[in-house]
Amino acid sequence: NQDIGIYDEALAYNERALNISKMISDSSRIIHHYKDNAIIYHDYKKYDKGIENGNIGYSLSKKHSKVKPSEVADVLNSIAVNYQSKQQSERALNFHFKSLNAFGDIQKNNIELLTYEDSIKLAKVMNSIGGIYLETKNFQKAKSWLIRALHLNTLLADDFELADNLNNLGTTFS
């Protein structure tokens, strides 16, 4: 329903799922549903509600030790995209960098410790950071982050994301 733009219906179904997850006390699913709400509100162009839902999910993730780092990264990204759409680049970057930290010590390139799915998410975060730097005309930083995403997507053989990275990287030279 989210894909075809029936946002009220998408939110209603997600709220039902959230309530069920609350009834069975499944913290990972609760956080997941708040993240989904944040994305639906983003697509609905209700960015403040998206940020609110993302922040609820993030607050809950800090209270539960069994939440996977990739779930924390997802909820942080849901906040970041809402800030980015509000043209609040610094706040968006802040949440994207928190998302990177949720994946662990990527400075040492411990990518092999991540699952394939998590590696794709990590590359998307890097691409998003590069995209924000592009928007703010900081081409050197954009290029640096886009090249990181490009390398990871090349390793993952993710052609769709690879094409997106190459397109974004090409704009750093214009």
Side-chain angles (χ1 to χ4, degrees):
N1 293 326
Q2 181 180 347
D3 291 339
I4 58 173
I6 306 173
Y7 303 115
D8 289 333
E9 194 173 333
L11 284 168
Y13 281 119
N14 201 54
E15 284 296 321
R16 284 175 58 195
L18 175 61
N19 289 333
I20 292 169
S21 295
K22 286 178 179 179
M23 281 182 358
I24 61 173
S25 300
D26 186 337
S27 57
S28 288
R29 298 301 302 165
I30 293 168
I31 293 163
H32 174 82
H33 295 307
Y34 277 114
K35 182 266 305 176
D36 282 352
N37 273 350
I39 296 301
I40 295 167
Y41 279 120
H42 171 267
D43 293 346
Y44 209 0
K45 299 188 184 342
K46 294 186 176 189
Y47 308 123
D48 290 329
K49 290 290 286 179
I51 291 165
E52 177 186 328
N53 275 266
N55 277 320
I56 292 169
Y58 181 51
S59 293
L60 290 171
S61 75
K62 291 191 288 187
K63 295 176 185 175
H64 298 281
S65 60
K66 293 184 180 180
V67 177
K68 292 191 282 185
S70 62
E71 293 170 339
V72 177
D74 279 349
V75 78
L76 288 164
N77 278 323
S78 74
I79 299 168
V81 297
N82 279 285
Y83 276 122
Q84 187 173 357
S85 291
K86 287 182 68 164
Q87 258 73 89
Q88 294 183 14
S89 300
E90 287 302 316
R91 284 187 164 173
L93 281 170
N94 179 43
F95 281 96
H96 279 310
F97 284 121
K98 284 182 180 182
S99 178
L100 285 179
N101 289 335
F103 281 109
D105 189 9
I106 61 163
Q107 300 303 327
K108 293 183 181 174
N109 291 322
N110 289 329
I111 306 258
E112 64 274 359
L113 300 177
L114 297 175
T115 65
Y116 178 80
E117 181 180 286
D118 288 348
S119 297
I120 288 174
K121 291 177 186 179
L122 178 60
K124 285 183 181 185
V125 173
M126 292 174 176
N127 191 49
S128 294
I129 291 170
I132 292 172
Y133 283 128
L134 272 176
E135 289 174 5
T136 59
K137 310 272 189 248
N138 190 333
F139 297 114
Q140 280 305 108
K141 284 187 177 181
K143 186 176 176 183
S144 172
W145 282 100
L146 293 169
I147 287 172
R148 290 178 193 185
L150 182 68
H151 287 307
L152 187 50
N153 280 319
T154 300
L155 289 171
L156 297 168
D158 187 332
D159 292 337
F160 179 81
E161 292 299 327
L162 192 58
D164 193 35
N165 288 146
L166 289 167
N167 179 64
N168 288 342
L169 191 56
T171 62
T172 65
F173 295 98
S174 53

